[in-house]
Amino acid sequence: MDWNADHAGFVTAAYALSLVLVAGLIMYVFNRDARIRKRLAQFEKAKK
């Protein structure tokens, strides 16, 4: 990539924003999974 091009800053910012959004989605999925597993464990404990 030609770093002296006029649009190099835009491309870099787009990749950085994409990386932040994907990382946020991954964190959301893992946090949601942990919450669901905790609720399921509580449900199974109360069921017995």
Side-chain angles (χ1 to χ4, degrees):
M1 179 174 164
D2 182 14
W3 292 103
N4 294 324
D6 292 336
H7 62 281
F10 174 78
V11 172
T12 304
Y15 274 111
L17 182 60
S18 297
L19 178 67
V20 168
L21 289 175
V22 169
L25 285 172
I26 290 170
M27 288 180 2
Y28 169 76
V29 167
F30 279 110
N31 286 336
R32 184 171 180 236
D33 180 59
R35 286 193 321 258
I36 290 173
R37 286 179 188 266
K38 183 178 177 182
R39 289 175 58 190
L40 180 60
Q42 289 173 350
F43 174 74
E44 289 178 351
K45 186 178 180 181
K47 185 178 169 184
K48 291 181 181 179

